[in-house]
Amino acid sequence: MSSVTDPAPPATTGGRPLAERTSATPKQLQEWLRQMLLIREFEIRTMQAYQDKKIGGFCHIYIGQEAVAVGCTAAVQHADPIITAYRDHGHALARGMDPKYCMAEMFGRIGGCAKGKGGSMHMFDKPNNLFGGHGIVGAQTPLGTGLAFAKKYQDEVIEGGVNKHVTLCFLGDGALNQGGFYEAMNLASLFDIPVIFVVENNGYSMGTSIERGTSMSHRIIAKGEGCGLAGYEIEGMDVITVYEEMKKVADIARAESRPAMVDLRTYRFKGHSMSDPRKYRTRDEEEQWESGDPITRLRDAMIGGGLIDEEGFKDLNKAQKIAVREAITWAENSPEPDASELYTDVYVEKFGPYIGTSMPQIVTDAEGSR
Amino acid sequence: MSERIIEFRDALREAMSQEMRRDPRVFLLGEEVAEYDGAYKVSRGMLEEFGPRRIIDTPISESGFAGLAIGAAMLGLRPIVEFMSWSFSLVAADPILNNAPKMLYMSGGQFGCPIVIRGNDGAGGQLGSTHSWCVEGMFSNVPGLKMAIPAFPDDAKGMLATAIRDDDPVFFLESERLLAMKGHVPEGDYYVPFGKAVVRRPGTDVTLVSFGRPVHFCLDAAEELAKEGISCEVIDGRTIRPLDIDTIVKSVKKTNGCVVVDQSWSFGSPGSEVAAQVHAHCFDDLDNHVMRVHSADVPSPYAANLEQEYLPNARRIAEAVRSALYVA
C-alpha cells in the first residue's frame, strides 16, 4: 500500500485486460465514464460561475476525486442511503441528481434542490436517497449512522424481516479528528449498524496535511479497528478498483449488518475551496497525482479494451458539456425565491409567521415522472 | 367520577408507552433508559413491554446518540431521546442545534426531523453549576424547534404525547424536582395542544407569567400575596415555542400589570422575550413596566441556602409584584 503523498500509479498500469479486472458490463463502464465527465465539466463551469459571482458562499470543487463518488455509488443500490460532507456536488450527480437542480441551488434560485436555501454545501435529493450535503466537518457521521439504523429498524422491527440495506457515509480525512466520528463508530459497532464510513482521504484538511493533523496517518483504519470496525484501504483514483473493492465491502456490511471503515486514497486537484492558493503543497506533487487522472485512466482502459474509441469519447464528453450548459441556462432562468420563502420550511406546522412547508421542484418533478 | 392520581414521572411514561403502542416508528433511546429503568425511573418497565430494539440503552455519548436519532428521524422514524439532564446536551450542541431544527429548511422541505428530546432541566437539587442548566434561555433562541415545559402531571402526559405526534423537533424540558409530584392524569389518549397557555389562578391586580417549575413558585407567591389583599392571575405558558402571547396579553389588559418569572438567566431569555412582547402589545395598558424575576445572573451555586436564593423563588416574586404595584 502506497502512502498518501506518493504519486498515484500512472495511467498505463491497468495491466490486465478489462474483462479480468472487473465484473462491470460495458454499459456500466460507459455510464461511469459519462458520470465522471459530467462531474468534471460541472465543476469546471461551477468554478467559472463562482468567479463570475453567480455563486456565493463557500464552494468546494470535486475535481480529481470523481472515481470515489462514482465507484462507491455504483457499488450500492439506489435504495441505500448516502450522506456526505460539504464537497458534495460529485455525490449528488453520481447519485443521479439532474445537474440543473444542483446548479440552481448554487445560484440561489427556487429551482435549486433546496429552493436555494442550502447552497453548495447542502445538496439534498430525496428521490435519489441523498441526505445531504453537511457543512460542519464530521457532523454527517452520527447522522449517517442514524440513517443506517433507521433502515435496519424499518427492515427488522417494523417489517419483521432482515436488514436489506447499507448506508454510505462519506467524510474527508479532516473529519478523522472530530469527536462525533468516534461516537458514531462506537455506536455503529455496539448496535451492529450497517454503515460504511468512506474516508475520502485526499491528504489535506484544508491546508493541513494529514501527517500534521492526524495521528496514525499512515494507517487510519486503525481508528475504526479500535471500535471493532472492519477496515479497508482502497486506491481511489481508479473507478474500477473503487467499484470492485467497495462492492465487496458493501456486500459484507449488508449481509452481516456490520459497520466498516474505508480509507480511500484520492487527491483533490483544486484547492480546499475557491479561495485557496494551495501554498501548502508543491506543484510537483500535484502533477504526479494529475498524471493519474481517474477519467484518463478509465478512458484508456476502455480504449484498450475496445469499448470506446477517441471519437466516441469526444462525443460523450461533448454531450456532458451540452448537459451542463443546459443546466446553467435552466438555473439562470429559474427565479429567485420569493421573499415569502424566508418563512417556509422552518416548521412543518403553520403558526405565527411560519407558513408551513412544501416539496421543492426536484421532488415534485420526480413524482410527476413516475 | 373518581380521579386517578399518579406521579409526574408515571404520566411521562404513560405518554411514551401509549404512543409506542400506537406507532411502531416511535422508540426511546438514552443513557440507562432500559435495563436500569431510567436514571429517574421515568422509563420503568418499558424495556419489558417493548424490548431492547425499541428501548435502547446508549453509552455516555450524547453527541453520537442524538445525532443518530436525528438521522433516523430524517428517514421517518420518530425517536424520543432522553438526556439524563439537559445539562449534558451541551456536548451534543451541533446535532441538536445545527441539524434537528434546520434540516427541513436546509433541505428545502425534503427532510423534516420529527424527534422529541427530553430530560431534566433546571437547578434545585444542589448539583452545582454544570448540572443545573436551564437551557430554555439558550435554546429557545433557535428557530425550527419547539419547546415545551410542563408544570403539572396531566400536562406532562398530554404535552409529551403531543410532542411525539408532532412533525417538528420538540425540546421537552422536565424538572427533576417535579417528577414525584402527584396529580390527576386522564387515562387513555390525552393530548394538550402546543401554543395554548392556561390560567392556573385567576386574579385582578397583576399577571404572573411563567413556564415549568417556577409556575409553582408563582402560585406560592400568589397565595402569600392574597393575604395582603393582592390578587394575582397566574399564567402557565406551557410552551415557549410556540408562545401563546394572546392569552398573556388578554390577562395583562385586564390586570394592567405583569411580572414574568423564568428560571433561566435574564440576559436574552424567554423572560426578556415575553416582557418585550407584552410591552409592544400592552404599552397603553400597563401601569408600570414589566418586572422580571429570573435565576440570579451567576453560575448555579451548590450551597443549599445560596441555591434557594439563586432560584426565582416565591419571596423574590412577591417582592417584584409589590414593586410592580407600587406597594412599599
Side-chain angles (χ1 to χ4, degrees):
Chain A
M1 197 73 212
S2 63
S3 95
V4 175
T5 44
D6 283 348
T12 49
T13 58
R16 294 175 292 139
L18 259 187
E20 284 178 27
R21 290 188 59 213
T22 182
S23 56
T25 63
K27 200 177 157 192
Q28 278 177 300
L29 292 166
Q30 174 102 357
E31 173 58 12
W32 300 344
L33 187 61
R34 185 195 70 79
Q35 287 184 6
M36 291 201 292
L37 286 168
L38 174 67
I39 294 169
R40 181 69 55 95
E41 176 66 14
F42 186 91
E43 294 292 61
I44 289 169
R45 302 283 288 194
T46 294
M47 289 192 293
Q48 288 170 355
Y50 192 89
Q51 277 149 0
D52 292 344
K53 303 202 185 312
K54 288 179 183 168
I55 297 172
F58 293 139
C59 189
H60 308 84
I61 299 299
Y62 201 63
I63 290 176
Q65 301 182 203
E66 292 93 340
V68 177
V70 171
C72 289
T73 302
V76 297
Q77 292 161 13
H78 188 258
D80 293 326
I82 287 180
I83 188 166
T84 186
Y86 45 79
R87 194 180 306 282
D88 59 350
H89 315 159
H91 307 83
L93 298 176
R95 239 302 136 105
M97 184 189 288
D98 189 312
K100 68 185 184 184
Y101 305 121
C102 196
M103 193 61 83
E105 183 59 32
M106 291 193 282
F107 282 19
R109 304 302 172 91
I110 192 69
C113 65
K115 304 178 186 168
K117 292 178 175 182
S120 162
M121 300 188 284
H122 307 104
M123 297 297 170
F124 291 83
D125 186 345
K126 193 170 192 175
N128 284 314
N129 298 308
L130 176 70
F131 294 80
H134 294 271
I136 303 294
V137 172
Q140 75 281 14
T141 55
L143 300 179
T145 306
L147 296 172
F149 171 91
K151 278 291 181 190
K152 181 173 175 169
Y153 186 100
Q154 285 168 348
D155 288 343
E156 297 186 354
V157 179
I158 296 179
E159 307 284 340
V162 293
N163 172 63
K164 297 193 287 278
H165 296 92
V166 65
T167 294
L168 293 184
C169 178
F170 292 91
L171 56 147
D173 48 289
L176 292 170
N177 308 312
Q178 284 280 39
F181 177 48
Y182 294 88
E183 296 194 27
M185 287 197 295
N186 185 55
L187 291 170
S189 185
L190 280 174
F191 298 160
D192 292 320
I193 297 174
V195 56
I196 302 172
F197 298 106
V198 182
V199 181
E200 296 192 60
N201 184 353
N202 64 24
Y204 295 91
S205 56
M206 203 164 160
T208 302
S209 70
I210 188 166
E211 292 84 2
R212 287 206 300 134
T214 303
S215 58
M216 290 290 288
S217 61
H218 63 287
R219 194 166 181 281
I220 60 171
I221 56 170
K223 294 164 188 292
E225 287 166 358
C227 295
L229 272 62
Y232 306 88
E233 293 170 331
I234 299 174
E235 200 262 296
M237 298 299 281
D238 176 58
V239 69
I240 294 173
T241 305
V242 173
Y243 169 79
E244 293 296 337
E245 297 303 313
M246 278 301 294
K247 195 158 186 336
K248 291 179 209 159
V249 176
D251 289 348
I252 293 169
R254 191 192 312 274
E256 297 182 357
S257 189
R258 283 291 300 170
M261 176 178 173
V262 178
D263 175 6
L264 254 167
R265 309 292 178 87
T266 184
Y267 200 78
R268 59 169 151 78
F269 289 180
K270 303 296 173 185
H272 162 73
S273 66
M274 286 298 295
S275 60
D276 175 6
R278 321 204 295 275
K279 286 182 178 164
Y280 47 83
R281 63 190 200 191
T282 63
R283 187 65 200 129
D284 189 47
E285 176 187 300
E286 291 181 352
E287 281 171 0
Q288 283 183 299
W289 279 91
E290 282 162 10
S291 72
D293 187 315
I295 294 177
T296 313
R297 285 175 71 170
L298 181 59
R299 182 199 63 186
D300 290 354
M302 287 176 68
I303 290 175
L307 298 180
I308 199 167
D309 56 18
E310 288 286 353
E311 204 60 29
F313 177 79
K314 276 181 192 164
D315 288 347
L316 190 65
N317 197 19
K318 194 176 169 192
Q320 305 323 304
K321 287 180 192 293
I322 292 168
V324 173
R325 201 180 310 145
E326 286 173 354
I328 291 170
T329 303
W330 191 87
E332 282 171 337
N333 289 332
S334 176
E336 289 180 337
D338 187 83
S340 64
E341 285 292 340
L342 200 55
Y343 288 92
T344 62
D345 309 316
V346 184
Y347 294 92
V348 174
E349 191 190 340
K350 294 180 191 178
F351 68 94
Y354 308 110
I355 47 185
T357 183
S358 62
M359 286 295 174
Q361 193 176 344
I362 191 172
V363 176
T364 53
D365 284 354
E367 283 166 355
S369 68
R370 229 179 257 157
Chain B
M1 194 175 119
S2 70
E3 292 204 322
R4 187 182 63 127
I5 305 295
I6 60 173
E7 286 187 359
F8 197 108
R9 60 163 58 82
D10 302 324
L12 293 169
R13 180 189 319 118
E14 202 164 88
M16 290 192 288
S17 295
Q18 287 186 1
E19 293 307 305
M20 286 186 66
R21 284 177 206 126
R22 181 185 63 78
D23 186 348
R25 298 171 303 172
V26 182
F27 64 100
L28 171 69
L29 80 168
E31 294 150 8
E32 311 290 2
V33 298
E35 296 191 10
Y36 195 87
D37 272 342
Y40 297 99
K41 306 304 170 201
V42 171
S43 55
R44 180 190 287 142
M46 290 179 71
L47 174 64
E48 261 179 89
E49 177 174 356
F50 299 104
R53 297 300 297 269
R54 298 181 70 196
I55 307 294
I56 302 167
D57 274 330
T58 67
I60 300 169
S61 185
E62 283 87 0
S63 187
F65 69 75
L68 184 156
I70 292 163
M74 288 176 77
L75 249 171
L77 299 189
R78 303 184 81 93
I80 306 168
V81 173
E82 178 175 309
F83 284 142
M84 202 181 289
S85 161
W86 273 98
S87 297
F88 308 155
S89 72
L90 304 192
V91 297
D94 187 57
I96 69 170
L97 300 180
N98 244 341
N99 296 326
K102 297 179 182 172
M103 200 65 76
L104 187 70
Y105 203 76
M106 297 192 69
S107 66
Q110 295 189 62
F111 297 105
C113 191
I115 191 171
V116 177
I117 306 176
R118 46 162 290 270
N120 287 306
D121 173 74
Q126 279 195 273
L127 300 177
S129 192
T130 57
H131 283 60
S132 298
W133 270 91
C134 291
V135 296
E136 49 267 52
M138 246 182 349
F139 293 169
S140 67
N141 189 240
V142 181
L145 59 83
K146 294 180 179 176
M147 183 176 281
I149 314 188
F152 291 88
D154 53 346
D155 272 5
K157 176 175 176 178
M159 287 166 64
L160 184 53
T162 298
I164 295 166
R165 295 187 74 148
D166 202 291
D167 289 329
D168 293 306
V170 179
F171 286 26
F172 199 86
L173 278 47
E174 301 155 10
S175 168
E176 183 266 328
R177 311 309 294 174
L178 294 180
L179 289 179
M181 179 190 178
K182 290 183 175 175
H184 167 64
V185 176
E187 293 183 66
D189 286 349
Y190 181 60
Y191 301 97
V192 172
F194 285 178
K196 298 284 178 205
V198 61
V199 176
R200 292 291 179 196
R201 177 185 174 114
T204 53
D205 296 333
V206 65
T207 300
L208 295 179
V209 182
S210 193
F211 305 90
R213 184 181 177 220
V215 169
H216 298 282
F217 302 160
C218 290
L219 291 169
D220 291 347
E223 193 68 28
E224 205 53 36
L225 289 162
K227 295 172 191 164
E228 301 170 22
I230 297 173
S231 168
C232 299
E233 181 144 298
V234 178
I235 293 180
D236 175 355
R238 286 173 158 169
T239 54
I240 290 174
R241 274 183 183 265
L243 178 69
D244 180 9
I245 194 65
D246 294 347
T247 296
I248 297 167
V249 166
K250 190 176 158 203
S251 173
V252 174
K253 283 185 182 292
K254 180 181 77 175
T255 63
N256 310 113
C258 184
V259 175
V260 182
V261 181
D262 172 8
Q263 62 183 345
S264 59
W265 291 308
S266 57
F267 204 109
S269 60
S272 56
E273 178 62 26
V274 170
Q277 292 200 27
V278 170
H279 282 131
H281 289 284
C282 306
F283 192 71
D284 291 330
D285 303 288
L286 288 164
D287 292 336
N288 203 336
H289 70 84
V290 176
M291 304 274 170
R292 294 199 282 142
V293 184
H294 286 267
S295 288
D297 199 19
V298 299
S300 316
Y302 162 74
N305 69 317
L306 289 182
E307 188 178 51
Q308 287 309 307
E309 184 56 23
Y310 165 88
L311 291 168
N313 57 48
R315 178 184 57 75
R316 291 175 55 207
I317 295 167
E319 286 167 7
V321 168
R322 292 187 201 105
S323 176
L325 296 177
Y326 305 100
V327 179

